[in-house]
Amino acid sequence: MDTPRSPRRAAARALLAATVVVAAGACGGADAGSGGDGLSGTVRVDGSSTVAPLSTAAAQLFQQRNPGVRITVGTSGTGGGFEKFCNGETDIADASRRITAEEQAHCAEKGVKYEELRIANDGLSVVVSKDNDFADCLTVEQLHRIWEPGSRIDNWNQVDPAFPDVGLELFGPGTDSGTFDYFTHAVNGKEGRSRTDYSPSEDDNVTVQGVSGSKGGMGYFGLSYYEENQDKLKVLKIDGGNGCVEPTRATVQNGTYRPLSRPLLIYPSAAALDRREVEAFVEYYVDNNADIATAAQFVPLSPGQEAELRRDLTRLREEHTP
């Protein structure tokens, strides 16, 4: 299960607590989306714990306006979340990947209809020291050789003979982090597959300090955290098969930064939208997606993705109008 425990996520939740009043007040016309006063009931959300900070943020903000609604956010993983969702145990599935054909068949068998809603983007950055003047771009294959289980690469000239004789020091998130799961799946083909002789920490600041303090340092974490520390670090371009691409909000949003970018998704049940508290929560989630993504330190949707999100929600409503 990809359960992120990074203080970066904890900080996002603290930020949310501090900005609830501001965010709620900034919504202006969101009263219609939030359902106004008098709402009650329970909204059950489960699935990817990478997406959980987004749903938790949405729940916190929504409940400030609708204290009679109880929202539970579980983290049984994307696959586990879809299993519960298709069995009718939850109202919304959080997912860090798209639903598979097998999962679609399971939902169809159980009569569960849904719509896929992209609510944010996720991207990782691979960073090195500012003193590293020789590496600008790495291929996914090079990343794989560096980070695969049992790797003995400990010098940059083993990564590329053109690189100088500089010791390679590796830093990254601990094994409880969703970022660790995401990176290892993208680079090594399976969540959790990684060499173990690196310096792990659940605190991204430790990774920043380690990488910035070593000419041969390398680490990885969320793009937004690099953006906050770009005065101390250098970000590498990644060649996912179509040339070197720098991680930016634009390349994460359009998916050209591969394979270290992905959409973050929720799947509301069409039947659950018959309950006003679920409909109001999903509307609020959609209406405030940019603020929620920013507070949870993910990459917000592009204008085109935002328009698609609203079209998808409208289609779901129309398909399930009683």
Side-chain angles (χ1 to χ4, degrees):
M1 181 172 62
D2 53 339
T3 307
R5 299 177 185 173
S6 165
R8 189 167 69 92
R9 295 288 182 256
R13 288 192 287 273
L15 174 62
L16 280 165
T19 59
V20 158
V21 174
V22 175
C27 295
D31 281 330
S34 67
D37 297 330
L39 279 179
S40 63
T42 298
V43 180
R44 301 161 299 171
V45 184
D46 204 326
S48 167
S49 55
T50 299
V51 183
L54 287 160
S55 290
T56 299
Q60 289 176 342
L61 294 171
F62 180 80
Q63 287 173 315
Q64 288 291 317
R65 302 171 67 86
N66 299 277
V69 178
R70 179 172 178 263
I71 302 173
T72 63
V73 180
T75 54
S76 61
T78 296
F82 276 131
E83 184 174 356
K84 291 181 179 181
F85 179 71
C86 294
N87 284 334
E89 299 172 27
T90 59
D91 305 307
I92 299 169
D94 282 344
S96 56
R97 58 161 173 78
R98 291 189 160 88
I99 189 169
T100 65
E102 183 178 353
E103 289 160 347
Q104 290 177 28
H106 183 196
C107 276
E109 179 184 346
K110 297 290 186 177
V112 175
K113 297 181 180 180
Y114 54 83
E115 187 66 55
E116 177 185 285
L117 304 180
R118 180 175 188 160
I119 36 77
N121 300 286
D122 192 12
L124 297 187
S125 54
V126 179
V127 295
V128 296
S129 166
K130 284 277 193 182
D131 293 330
N132 183 324
D133 57 1
F134 50 85
D136 293 304
C137 176
L138 293 180
T139 66
V140 174
E141 175 56 29
Q142 287 173 319
L143 286 177
H144 171 70
R145 289 195 292 108
I146 292 168
W147 286 97
E148 67 180 325
S151 172
R152 295 188 178 182
I153 291 179
D154 60 6
N155 194 294
W156 278 93
N157 63 16
Q158 294 173 277
V159 179
D160 186 325
F163 292 159
D165 179 8
V166 174
L168 177 66
E169 294 186 65
L170 298 175
F171 303 84
T175 58
D176 284 332
S177 169
T179 298
F180 172 82
D181 287 339
Y182 174 13
F183 182 86
T184 53
H185 181 271
V187 171
N188 292 329
K190 184 178 180 181
E191 289 184 2
R193 284 182 54 83
S194 174
R195 65 190 295 173
T196 57
D197 59 337
Y198 72 101
S199 298
S201 177
E202 302 297 347
D203 186 346
D204 290 333
N205 285 306
V206 173
T207 298
V208 171
Q209 292 166 8
V211 174
S212 63
S214 168
K215 182 175 182 179
M218 172 194 287
Y220 64 90
F221 39 52
L223 174 60
S224 59
Y225 208 75
Y226 161 70
E227 291 175 335
E228 293 174 13
N229 292 277
Q230 55 187 304
D231 60 323
K232 305 181 186 73
L233 300 167
K234 171 182 170 181
V235 70
L236 294 181
K237 298 171 183 162
I238 302 300
D239 184 349
N242 293 307
C244 297
V245 178
E246 181 177 349
T248 65
R249 293 200 171 205
T251 60
V252 168
Q253 286 171 341
N254 64 29
T256 57
Y257 178 62
R258 298 174 180 169
L260 295 179
S261 64
R262 61 180 173 177
L264 300 180
L265 312 156
I266 61 172
Y267 289 76
S269 159
L273 291 184
D274 280 347
R275 304 194 336 259
R276 181 55 186 148
E277 68 274 16
V278 178
E279 181 185 30
F281 175 61
V282 173
E283 288 176 348
Y284 188 90
Y285 209 151
V286 169
D287 287 343
N288 297 277
N289 67 84
D291 289 338
I292 292 165
T294 299
Q297 297 188 335
F298 288 107
V299 177
L301 300 176
S302 67
Q305 291 166 348
E306 172 96 18
E308 183 178 0
L309 170 63
R310 297 185 183 280
R311 287 195 299 270
D312 289 342
L313 179 59
T314 298
R315 182 168 58 250
L316 179 61
R317 284 201 201 97
E318 291 174 348
E319 288 177 352
H320 199 72
T321 300

